[in-house]
Amino acid sequence: MWYMIYSEDVENSLPLRKEARPAHLARLQQLKEEGRLFAAGPLPAVDAEDPGEAGFTGSLVIADFDSLEAAQAWADADPYIDAGVYARSIIKPYKLVLP
């Protein structure tokens, strides 16, 4: 089943994001290679494709997991958690309707 993982950043998270980004992206790449990733990306702090030094306010991942518990465990192991980027995450089932 698909699950939505919405994570909110702490204030001034950009330096922390930059440091942990390679490990964070590696986990997402693994989901992609397994055919389990629908979408993933950061939420810019300003209305721009590249927010520059304004940074990001959080991230959204939509991916396939066996259960809500498995999705939660995956989210809890994100390198951004260890790096202090995320203040909190919300994980919910997601029903894909379109496309």
Side-chain angles (χ1 to χ4, degrees):
M1 181 169 185
W2 296 108
Y3 292 88
M4 179 253 355
I5 301 170
Y6 169 72
S7 301
E8 293 180 346
D9 282 21
V10 298
E11 294 277 331
N12 304 310
S13 64
L14 191 58
L16 301 172
R17 273 182 168 270
K18 288 178 179 180
E19 187 173 325
R21 189 170 191 260
H24 171 78
L25 291 179
R27 295 178 78 236
L28 292 168
Q29 184 63 37
Q30 181 179 358
L31 285 179
K32 180 182 175 187
E33 290 170 4
E34 294 170 358
R36 298 173 45 209
L37 184 64
F38 178 72
L43 308 171
V46 295
D47 189 12
E49 182 76 20
D50 179 359
E53 291 304 309
F56 301 93
T57 61
S59 300
L60 175 67
V61 173
I62 301 173
D64 182 33
F65 294 95
D66 290 335
S67 65
L68 180 60
E69 293 78 17
Q72 181 72 58
W74 187 89
D76 289 345
D78 195 302
Y80 279 177
I81 297 285
D82 290 339
V85 174
Y86 292 152
R88 69 183 190 124
S89 295
I90 299 170
I91 296 89
K92 293 186 177 189
Y94 175 81
K95 182 178 178 180
L96 178 62
V97 175
L98 294 172

